[in-house]
Amino acid sequence: MVTSTPHIQANVALGEKRVTLRGLDWQAYQQIYQALPQTRAARLTYDRGALEITMPLEDHEFAVRLIELFIRILVVERGLKIKTLGSTILDREDLDRGAEPDNAYYIQNQPLVMGKTIDLQTDPPPDLVVEVDITHSDIDKLNLCANLGIPEFWRYNGKIWRIYQLENAVYQEVETSPTFPMVAKAKLYEFLAQAKLDEVDAEITLRRWLQTLAR
């Protein structure tokens, strides 16, 4: 149910289009979520009465897909395991919060959830969540993901990649990924810059570099 008349704020920019609705309770959020087609491009983020609907544009999707490829290459070349959730909804009614992140992954906890449909009431949260926010978001996603218990959070604004590690229920910005400590930030920047010209060459270059580390 809608507890008050929602205030709607629109933000149009290069990376994403956003609309924020305020004054919604959990039931209203769920009704909107259920009413939208599951094949939609728009993503929802709900935080204690505020619902942000994001429509990704080209720059956003380029970064999301290439960061996902970057992560998968790291996982494969380092001999790790992965369960990809993509933008699967991460809902916690008890926290009055929910999100469809750009990408979410189980890596360290992959053995605990392999072959399962995730239930955050009983399963651990994803080990790593990635958000691309080229335009301003009205939702404090750091606070939201910290409350969901996400151990590692990446945020990319089209220029800067920030890595956050959860410590005592609060995110601390760190310089290297706890999941991939061998990879400096410069590698992602190099990968994205090369991928803008040739995605195949970017993948080959990154794989070759990682293989030299294993020798």
Side-chain angles (χ1 to χ4, degrees):
M1 298 296 293
V2 179
T3 56
S4 63
T5 302
H7 167 70
I8 300 178
Q9 177 181 339
N11 184 18
V12 179
L14 183 62
E16 306 93 8
K17 293 181 180 179
R18 301 182 191 273
V19 174
T20 302
L21 288 76
R22 301 190 183 279
L24 304 180
D25 63 12
W26 182 265
Q27 288 71 31
Y29 157 56
Q30 289 296 308
Q31 288 170 5
I32 292 171
Y33 173 74
Q34 295 297 331
L36 293 173
Q38 296 302 301
T39 55
R40 59 189 159 75
R43 300 192 181 106
L44 307 185
T45 306
Y46 176 78
D47 187 2
R48 298 165 296 173
L51 174 63
E52 184 176 80
I53 303 173
T54 303
M55 178 65 71
L57 299 178
E58 181 178 348
D59 284 358
H60 179 110
E61 286 299 276
F62 173 83
V64 168
R65 300 305 169 208
L66 268 296
I67 291 172
E68 180 172 42
L69 177 59
F70 181 78
I71 290 170
R72 184 163 292 276
I73 291 169
L74 295 181
V75 167
V76 171
E77 295 297 337
R78 302 305 291 178
L80 304 174
K81 299 293 186 181
I82 193 169
K83 178 181 177 67
T84 303
L85 294 186
S87 56
T88 300
I89 194 77
L90 305 177
D91 272 351
R92 285 285 302 271
E93 183 177 2
D94 57 323
L95 300 176
D96 200 25
R97 292 177 169 93
E100 289 177 308
D102 287 312
N103 284 311
Y105 307 93
Y106 286 94
I107 300 174
Q108 294 92 333
N109 282 322
Q110 186 270 352
L112 299 179
V113 296
M114 60 181 181
K116 297 179 63 177
T117 298
I118 300 301
D119 180 355
L120 292 182
Q121 298 298 327
T122 55
D123 294 316
D127 297 304
L128 171 62
V129 161
V130 177
E131 284 283 4
V132 174
D133 287 315
I134 296 174
T135 59
H136 173 73
S137 171
D138 285 337
I139 301 288
D140 184 346
K141 293 183 180 178
L142 279 179
N143 183 59
L144 187 152
C145 287
N147 277 276
L148 293 176
I150 308 296
E152 184 175 353
F153 181 81
W154 292 8
R155 194 169 206 168
Y156 181 68
N157 68 0
K159 295 181 180 179
I160 300 173
W161 170 28
R162 298 189 184 279
I163 304 170
Y164 298 92
Q165 183 176 8
L166 195 64
E167 297 180 6
N168 299 318
V170 177
Y171 280 124
Q172 302 295 329
E173 186 171 359
V174 295
E175 284 303 307
T176 57
S177 164
T179 304
F180 308 110
M182 79 298 294
V183 181
K185 287 185 178 182
K187 278 298 172 185
L188 176 64
Y189 296 141
E190 291 172 10
F191 178 76
L192 293 176
Q194 189 174 2
K196 286 183 178 180
L197 302 176
D198 191 320
E199 295 178 22
V200 173
D201 278 354
E203 178 173 350
I204 291 171
T205 299
L206 180 59
R207 287 188 185 277
R208 285 176 176 169
W209 176 77
L210 288 166
Q211 287 162 10
T212 66
L213 299 182
R215 292 173 187 168

